[in-house]
DNA sequence: ATAGGGTTAG
């Protein structure tokens, strides 16, 4: 095997370099060296599978480039593209000389694999070296803070950005705008946006999204308009999706139609991402028939527009349409994901197709390879609860392992159903589990009081209410207890 | 060579 591999490689190299090699008599070895390295790097950039990555890796070692930082950085990035963070980390650990690209690449790799914390750890390690962070390093780290909603570290990085003299840097500032926005600090995001000396589509999109995600949709749309009149650039599909999404969150059909008009004028209506946003927007603005129109114009819809349409139809009680669409995507071999199943399960729930819903839940993993999680169980528990199949809902909830807020949600659903059907025993059980999952939830206290009261256990109800007053979680009786999580 | 923004659920 190995014997065959090496001559082949040398053959392929000599053919690719045969035209340049003979002319370079003076420095043949040096040029061969440079060219062969370029060849390996080119190979790494187009690597599609682990086998070719590892074979190129071993060739890099064989040809004596194992200590070459440039080649190793390419290898790291190649492994990261193939989602092999373990290989990338191992290589990184073995590098004798790491530069800022080595560090930043590995950090970005962790962020991309939902391990934003690891990126921050790496930065701490990096600070113990002589390598200095650049704008890309900061952008990657600030992005990690956005994902983690970690304002504290975000602020520290902001300070470091300033110390490093990058306070007007486009890339660093755009990520700061995004970070402050994701941490709900709109004013600070805007201050940075205003302080930037150059802005591009990305920075404007970050600012628009910040307003949109912080319940200031009108300001977001105003900024979108401002950008369009500024003549700086044309909005791209990122900015357009954000604007459409803003209209959806506002529930404003008129703004939605105007934005749809902008999309058409810019010739962006063929974009899958934009179409998904439009389908969702029309459904949220009360026009599911428009959603259907947009959806049917997509030639090959991916799982996202399919899901948007399934969810939209489900909300309008068009359960049969949702299920038809689901069937259609299965026939077209478009793989449903976890969100798609939330949609179809909702459809079953809202249209009273209970047994169909149960059948779907049970076939999710085996037939479609999607492992049901808390949100699916909550959905099905709600479906069973609505039609009074409380026992089954209760058994289902007991059978699943869920933690934290998701657990409170699941048992909140059981609680709601058991109250509705007067099952005080199960209501009590559910209240207790909500308390176990999340003791800070004041709504659960109220519910527990209600449950005790319902059961006629007034003494316990009274005691608990005093305890609540004591711990400061008291809520006036009669207020809504369904709000498990209040917006901050 | 490395980087920043967007789309489906609750």
């Amino acid at each position: 095997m190995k014997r065959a591999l090496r001559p082949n490689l040398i053959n392929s190299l000599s053919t690719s370099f045969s035209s340049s090699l003979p002319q370079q008599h003076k420095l043949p070895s040096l040029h061969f060296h440079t060219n062969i390295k370029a060849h390996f790097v080119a190979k790494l950039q187009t690597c599609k599978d682990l086998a070719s990555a590892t074979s190129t890796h071993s060739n890099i070692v064989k040809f004596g480039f194992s200590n070459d930082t440039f080649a190793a950085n390419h290898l790291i990035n190649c492994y990261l593209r193939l989602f092999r963070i373990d290989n990338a980390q191992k290589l990184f650990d073995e590098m004798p000389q790491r530069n800022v690209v080595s560090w930043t690449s590995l950090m970005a790799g962790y962020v991309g694999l939902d391990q934003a914390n690891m990126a921050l750890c790496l930065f701490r390690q990096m600070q113990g070296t002589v390598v200095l962070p650049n704008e890309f390093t900061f952008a990657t780290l600030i992005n990690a803070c956005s994902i983690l909603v970690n304002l504290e570290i975000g602020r520290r990085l902001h300070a470091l950005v300033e110390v490093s003299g990058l306070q007007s840097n486009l890339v660093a500032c755009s990520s700061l705008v995004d970070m402050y926005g994701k941490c709900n600090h709109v004013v600070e995001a805007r201050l940075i946006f205003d302080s930037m000396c150059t802005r591009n589509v990305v920075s404007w999109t970050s600012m628009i999204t910040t307003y949109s995600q912080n319940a200031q949709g009108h300001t977001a749309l105003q900024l979108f308009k401002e950008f369009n009149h500024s003549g700086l650039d044309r909005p791209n599909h990122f900015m357009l999706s954000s604007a459409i999404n803003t209209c959806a969150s506002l529930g404003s059909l008129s703004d939605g139609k105007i934005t749809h008009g902008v999309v058409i004028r810019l010739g962006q209506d063929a974009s899958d991402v934009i179409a998904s946003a439009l389908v969702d927007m029309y459904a949220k603005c009360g026009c599911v028939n428009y959603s259907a129109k947009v959806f049917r114009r997509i030639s090959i819809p991916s799982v996202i527009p399919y899901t948007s349409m399934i969810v939209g139809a489900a909300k309008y009680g068009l359960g049969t349409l949702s299920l038809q669409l689901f069937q259609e995507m299965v026939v077209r071999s478009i793989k449903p994901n976890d969100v798609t199943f939330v949609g179809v399960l909702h459809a079953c729930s809202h249209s009273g197709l209970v047994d169909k819903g149960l059948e779907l839940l049970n076939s999710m993993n085996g037939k479609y390879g999607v492992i049901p999680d808390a949100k699916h169980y909550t959905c099905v528990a709600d479906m069973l609860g609505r039609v009074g199949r409380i026992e089954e809902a209760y058994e289902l909830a007991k059978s699943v392992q869920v933690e934290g807020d998701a657990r409170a949600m699941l048992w909140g659903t059981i609680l709601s159903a058991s109250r509705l059907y007067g099952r005080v025993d199960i209501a009590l059980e559910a209240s207790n589990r909500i308390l176990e999952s999340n003791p800070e939830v004041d709504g659960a206290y109220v519910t527990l009081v209600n449950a005790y009261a319902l059961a006629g256990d007034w003494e316990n109800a009274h005691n608990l209410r005093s305890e609540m007053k004591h711990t400061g979680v008291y809520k006036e009786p009669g207020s809504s207890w369904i709000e498990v999580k209040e917006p901050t």
Side-chain angles (χ1 to χ4, degrees):
Chain A
M1 270 292 278
K2 272 191 180 169
R3 277 185 188 193
L5 194 91
R6 206 166 152 157
N8 275 348
L9 179 94
I10 290 171
N11 282 345
S12 74
L13 281 171
S14 51
T15 45
S16 34
F17 298 116
S18 55
S19 51
S20 55
L21 270 176
Q23 282 113 43
Q24 295 163 350
H25 302 294
K26 284 176 185 164
L27 293 162
S29 65
L30 182 70
H31 277 260
F32 182 72
H33 210 68
T34 320
N35 282 335
I36 199 169
K37 193 166 95 180
H39 170 82
F40 288 141
V41 166
K43 264 199 116 151
L44 288 172
Q45 282 172 317
T46 54
C47 232
K48 292 270 188 303
D49 56 281
L50 189 64
S52 39
T54 44
S55 98
T56 310
H57 188 172
S58 60
N59 281 322
I60 284 173
V61 175
K62 273 183 212 154
F63 281 81
F65 296 113
S66 44
N67 291 344
D68 186 284
T69 305
F70 183 81
N73 285 348
H74 273 284
L75 254 174
I76 288 179
N77 282 296
C78 180
Y79 281 132
L80 291 176
R81 267 200 309 279
L82 301 167
F83 307 106
R84 299 308 301 249
I85 192 90
D86 43 348
N87 297 56
Q89 176 76 60
K90 189 168 180 288
L91 185 74
F92 177 88
D93 291 337
E94 289 163 357
M95 282 172 76
Q97 299 247 20
R98 304 173 194 103
N99 65 12
V100 64
V101 177
S102 332
W103 285 96
T104 307
S105 301
L106 195 62
M107 286 174 192
Y110 278 110
V111 173
L113 287 170
D114 261 348
Q115 298 184 55
N117 265 321
M118 274 302 292
L120 299 177
C121 288
L122 273 172
F123 183 55
R124 231 161 283 141
Q125 289 174 40
M126 182 183 160
Q127 285 179 301
T129 71
V130 291
V131 183
L132 290 174
N134 64 14
E135 67 211 279
F136 301 120
T137 320
F138 283 120
T140 305
L141 292 164
I142 292 163
N143 184 25
C145 293
S146 302
I147 292 166
L148 298 167
V149 196
N150 191 329
L151 185 64
E152 200 196 322
I153 298 179
R155 280 194 202 283
R156 269 191 259 161
L157 286 164
H158 184 183
L160 282 175
V161 164
E162 304 224 335
V163 169
S164 312
L166 294 168
Q167 65 274 15
S168 320
N169 181 277
L170 180 69
V171 172
C173 288
S174 297
S175 53
L176 280 171
V177 169
D178 176 63
M179 188 274 293
Y180 282 116
K182 296 260 159 50
C183 294
N184 308 111
H185 283 247
V186 185
V187 176
E188 277 171 279
R190 183 62 195 241
L191 279 172
I192 292 170
F193 181 77
D194 286 337
S195 76
M196 294 169 74
C197 46
T198 46
R199 300 179 199 96
N200 64 5
V201 193
V202 178
S203 19
W204 281 79
T205 304
S206 296
M207 198 59 236
I208 290 169
T209 308
T210 292
Y211 282 123
S212 180
Q213 287 172 347
N214 287 280
Q216 298 182 44
H218 291 292
T219 317
L221 290 181
Q222 213 179 305
L223 207 62
F224 175 63
K225 242 179 259 168
E226 205 183 304
F227 179 82
N228 285 326
H229 293 310
S230 71
L232 285 169
D233 201 352
R234 286 153 58 119
N236 60 13
H237 73 283
F238 286 100
M239 188 183 269
L240 290 167
S241 316
S242 187
I244 297 163
N245 207 24
T246 307
C247 303
S249 68
L250 287 168
S252 168
L253 183 63
S254 54
D255 286 317
K257 281 183 172 171
I258 292 168
T259 313
H260 190 174
V262 175
V263 167
I264 293 170
R265 231 180 304 131
L266 291 167
Q268 289 263 25
D269 47 329
S271 153
D272 194 83
V273 170
I274 288 180
S276 304
L278 286 170
V279 167
D280 176 63
M281 182 274 292
Y282 281 124
K284 284 180 178 157
C285 293
C287 288
V288 76
N289 50 328
Y290 288 175
S291 299
K293 261 191 192 165
V294 174
F295 179 76
R296 285 302 171 202
R297 287 176 59 100
I298 309 171
S299 50
I300 306 157
S302 74
V303 59
I304 309 262
Y306 258 110
T307 305
S308 302
M309 195 59 231
I310 286 170
V311 170
K315 272 190 200 141
Y316 285 84
L318 304 171
T320 328
L321 177 59
S322 288
L323 291 172
Q324 270 171 10
L325 288 162
F326 178 72
Q327 206 45 50
E328 196 181 295
M329 61 186 291
V330 172
V331 170
R332 297 173 85 167
S333 315
I334 298 155
K335 212 177 148 330
N337 65 20
D338 56 333
V339 186
T340 317
F341 277 103
V342 174
V344 279
L345 292 173
H346 255 112
C348 294
S349 178
H350 285 223
S351 306
L353 305 162
V354 180
D355 291 313
K356 179 69 190 167
L358 284 172
E359 182 200 314
L360 276 164
L361 178 75
N362 292 324
S363 64
M364 274 176 67
N365 193 8
K367 214 166 157 188
Y368 305 101
V370 181
I371 298 164
D373 62 33
K375 53 186 184 284
H376 303 109
Y377 291 116
T378 305
C379 200
V380 173
D382 179 59
M383 177 180 79
L384 291 166
R386 278 163 186 266
V387 295
R389 289 163 74 168
I390 311 294
E391 290 287 345
E392 277 172 84
Y394 179 53
E395 291 305 323
L396 179 76
K398 275 201 294 187
S399 72
V400 296
Q401 285 272 332
V402 198
E403 295 305 321
D405 283 353
R407 188 173 142 95
M409 289 286 275
L410 176 63
W411 286 101
T413 303
I414 300 294
L415 179 61
S416 144
S418 50
R419 277 181 109 221
L420 200 63
Y421 284 88
R423 286 296 299 267
V424 177
D425 53 336
I426 296 179
L428 271 172
E429 195 57 45
S431 299
N432 285 328
R433 297 202 194 218
I434 295 170
L435 279 177
E436 282 165 24
S437 339
N438 197 343
E440 315 97 73
V441 176
D442 55 357
Y445 278 94
V446 178
T447 313
L448 193 56
V449 176
N450 292 344
Y452 278 137
L454 254 173
D457 189 349
W458 293 108
E459 199 185 330
N460 255 329
H462 182 76
N463 289 344
L464 195 68
R465 202 166 274 169
S466 336
E467 188 199 314
M468 280 158 57
K469 275 185 177 163
H470 209 71
T471 49
V473 289
Y474 183 74
K475 211 175 183 183
E476 282 304 316
S479 58
S480 168
W481 53 270
I482 198 83
E483 289 165 21
V484 174
K485 202 174 176 182
E486 299 257 353
T488 45

